[in-house]
Amino acid sequence: MNRRKLIAGNWKMNGSLMALAELDAISVAAGAHAGVDVTVAVPATLIAPAAARAPTIAIGAQDVHQQPSGAHTGCISAAMATEAGARWTIVGHSERRTNQCETDAIVKAKAEAAHAAGLMVILCVGETLDQRDYGQAEVIVTAQLAASFPEHGDGDWLSIAYEPIWAIGTGRVAEIDDVVAMHAAIRRELTALVGANKAAAMRILYGGSVAAENAPALLAAANVDGALVGGASLTAAKFVPIIEAAAG
């Protein structure tokens, strides 16, 4: 199946109103490569101004709460993110699973809440270095995917991002053969979860120190349908070449 490439940026806890100027050149690149879907997840404070400045890019949230409202100080609901101008969100990023102790059940609930609010979702899964070194990477990741997978998951609104935790922000990138093997395992698990047709339509992204230098090889690999990009998404100079690599 011919799946459109998706290049998603994640600014994490970085950015400012002045930094939104970087979206101008990113918007130009997205327009020049219409066959590639380009999205950027900014901090919650920047969703509305980013959406206003770059209407041709799908601006995203970096997380949403699983409840629609309530006593959840510091959190934003999926409906709030949508109202601010977000069109998609990340859920289950390893930094939230680890630092905020989010379980698979919480990640699943967040994905379902986001979908109910009309957001597209990137659901993250990944293993630690110890888990990989002990030969448990595929078992851990596919179990994580099965436990986090939302009801009615469909390629129209859900993408999966494989992020080896040991490669996030470290400059270390998984070997291409390892990426291909893991993405194939994820595709098999998706087939078990939703059937062959729906699984074939769902995009699987690679995340973990993606940069202009390694993007062409990663994006040409089997079952790699795009990238979830951290630090390199903060500037157009580093992010645009990844978009260009996805366009071929």
Side-chain angles (χ1 to χ4, degrees):
M1 179 174 288
N2 185 24
R3 295 177 292 270
R4 286 172 60 88
K5 296 292 189 188
L6 170 60
I7 303 300
N10 176 15
W11 281 16
K12 305 189 180 183
M13 199 173 72
N14 300 289
S16 63
L17 289 173
M18 289 185 61
L20 294 181
E22 297 293 336
L23 297 177
D24 296 346
I26 294 171
S27 294
V28 171
H33 302 289
V36 178
D37 292 333
V38 178
T39 61
V40 180
V42 297
T45 57
L46 297 178
I47 292 173
R53 180 161 190 148
T56 60
I57 299 176
I59 298 300
Q62 295 174 13
D63 183 58
V64 293
H65 198 274
Q66 63 269 34
Q67 296 296 329
S69 62
H72 306 291
T73 301
C75 300
I76 64 169
S77 70
M80 289 173 177
T82 303
E83 186 177 58
R87 293 164 57 187
W88 65 281
T89 187
I90 301 168
V91 299
H93 193 283
S94 64
E95 291 161 359
R96 293 202 61 87
R97 289 179 183 265
T98 301
N99 299 334
Q100 276 71 46
C101 303
E102 292 188 359
T103 64
D104 292 331
I106 290 173
V107 174
K108 176 181 179 180
K110 287 187 173 189
E112 291 170 352
H115 178 49
L119 293 173
M120 294 182 289
V121 174
I122 295 176
L123 191 162
C124 301
V125 293
E127 84 282 4
T128 66
L129 184 58
D130 283 346
Q131 289 167 340
R132 172 160 287 277
D133 287 345
Y134 279 106
Q136 295 296 305
E138 288 189 11
V139 172
I140 293 293
V141 170
T142 54
Q144 197 176 67
L145 175 60
S148 303
F149 197 83
E151 293 291 331
H152 310 299
D154 187 281
D156 288 341
W157 63 273
L158 179 65
S159 298
I160 308 301
Y162 165 57
E163 296 187 305
I165 296 171
W166 45 270
I168 298 173
T170 64
R172 180 176 175 181
V173 182
E175 297 292 333
I176 295 294
D177 288 348
D178 292 333
V179 174
V180 170
M182 184 62 78
H183 280 227
I186 291 171
R187 186 76 64 194
R188 290 193 297 271
E189 185 63 27
L190 289 172
T191 299
L193 290 168
V194 297
N197 290 339
K198 285 188 176 182
M202 201 167 294
R203 292 184 285 200
I204 306 173
L205 316 182
Y206 173 78
S209 297
V210 178
E213 295 77 14
N214 57 43
L218 286 167
L219 293 168
N223 278 311
V224 178
D225 305 310
L228 180 56
V229 184
S233 70
L234 292 171
T235 64
K238 293 183 178 180
F239 194 49
V240 167
I242 299 173
I243 298 170
E244 293 172 341

